[in-house]
Amino acid sequence: MRQRPALAVLTAVLACSGAAACASGGVEEEAVTIGVAAAPSLSAAFTEIISVFEADNPGVRVSIELGRSNEIAKSLGSRSDINVFASASEEAMQKVVAEGAAVDPRVFARNHVVLAVPSGNPKDVSGLGDLDREGLRVGLCDVEVPCGQAADILLTAAGEDPVDVERIAGSRALAAQLADNDADVGIIYRTDVASSHGWVEEVDVDPRDRELQQASGTTSYVLARVPGGEDGQSSEVKAAASDRFVELVLSSRGRSALLNSGLEAVSG
């Protein structure tokens, strides 16, 4: 189900079953739902975190909405169905915090872009210096998304200006193009290489390029509560549940899930 255009929605539901999920006396207790809006590159980590959270919190379920951070930020102030915002854009988070739509922002993870190719590296790409090679189809994320911004920072730092470039909506979409051999090389998040199940591989670049990738093409993820989602019925319960979700993301179990997905976890 799509709650907003261009936003993919992934919903994890905890059903009430047994004594742990039902009120005493056999009366079934209605589940409280909290909404989490997150960048697509957090999908794998947050799916694992939500599973842990719902197991630890009977009677609470989490609905996760995946979408571009800047698009989510545009409407966050008018949303009553979002309680936590996990942004891949520090600028987007700064905007909603300044507007009062989000509070208590915390950097909790980092991701960096890497040079990636289809499995087997058919064009024998060895580093950033190959990107201006004639006939090489280069894929970059759209300039409006964090992946594209990180890629541009990386290319500027490396002094590279590819000629044959196609801009793709996002890192996951670009990874799919690489997997289908519709691009020869691209700059994508390392998390999307990890989730490609071997269809896309990271180029084993030299130490200089590796350092540039880590230093110049890094995206910081920021987590914040959204007070607007705590209005109305069950507001106190939702606020408490939102706090517990944030605490879980920042905990050792949350960091483990982030690491499993290829992200660098940042200690709280």
Side-chain angles (χ1 to χ4, degrees):
M1 181 178 293
R2 297 165 72 109
Q3 297 178 342
R4 288 292 184 277
L7 296 180
V9 180
L10 171 66
T11 305
V13 178
L14 178 66
C16 173
S17 60
C22 299
S24 61
V27 179
E28 187 173 292
E29 187 178 272
E30 183 178 353
V32 171
T33 299
I34 61 171
V36 176
S41 48
L42 290 167
S43 174
F46 271 35
T47 296
E48 182 177 341
I49 289 170
I50 287 169
S51 178
V52 172
F53 178 82
E54 290 186 335
D56 287 350
N57 294 270
V60 182
R61 59 186 182 183
V62 180
S63 174
I64 181 167
E65 179 177 303
L66 303 175
R68 293 184 176 186
S69 298
N70 58 341
E71 291 297 325
I72 293 173
K74 288 177 182 178
S75 62
L76 197 64
S78 63
R79 301 287 295 272
S80 61
D81 57 336
I82 298 299
N83 301 92
V84 177
F85 179 32
S87 175
S89 167
E90 292 182 278
E91 290 182 359
M93 182 61 78
Q94 289 168 359
K95 177 178 182 293
V96 294
V97 168
E99 294 172 349
V103 296
D104 302 328
R106 299 281 296 276
V107 174
F108 69 98
R110 292 191 178 93
N111 198 2
H112 68 80
V113 291
V114 296
L115 201 61
V117 293
S119 179
N121 195 4
K123 295 295 184 179
D124 196 26
V125 176
S126 61
L128 294 168
D130 289 329
L131 295 182
D132 60 358
R133 188 197 305 169
E134 186 176 351
L136 194 70
R137 298 171 300 168
V138 178
L140 299 177
C141 297
D142 191 276
V143 294
E144 294 183 355
V145 299
C147 164
Q149 295 163 6
D152 286 349
I153 292 171
L154 172 59
L155 291 172
T156 299
E160 300 296 335
D161 186 18
V163 177
D164 186 7
V165 173
E166 181 181 3
R167 291 281 182 172
I168 310 299
S171 181
R172 298 176 82 185
L174 180 48
Q177 285 216 349
L178 290 167
D180 291 338
N181 284 288
D182 290 331
D184 299 320
V185 61
I187 296 177
I188 63 175
Y189 283 131
R190 63 193 301 263
T191 47
D192 291 314
V193 175
S195 65
S196 73
H197 304 292
W199 290 101
V200 177
E201 63 184 60
E202 181 179 344
V203 177
D204 186 16
V205 298
D206 62 29
R208 171 186 175 272
D209 282 0
R210 188 176 302 112
E211 183 178 339
L212 288 175
Q213 286 178 162
Q214 294 173 346
S216 303
T218 298
T219 294
S220 294
Y221 293 80
V222 192
L223 188 70
R225 285 179 36 252
V226 180
E230 299 167 4
D231 293 336
Q233 191 175 10
S234 304
S235 59
E236 291 184 4
V237 176
K238 288 185 177 181
S242 300
D243 284 339
R244 292 196 300 274
F245 184 85
V246 170
E247 290 170 3
L248 177 59
V249 174
L250 299 174
S251 73
S252 59
R253 289 190 295 174
R255 291 195 294 273
S256 177
L258 294 166
L259 290 170
N260 290 341
S261 72
L263 289 163
E264 175 193 349
V266 177
S267 298

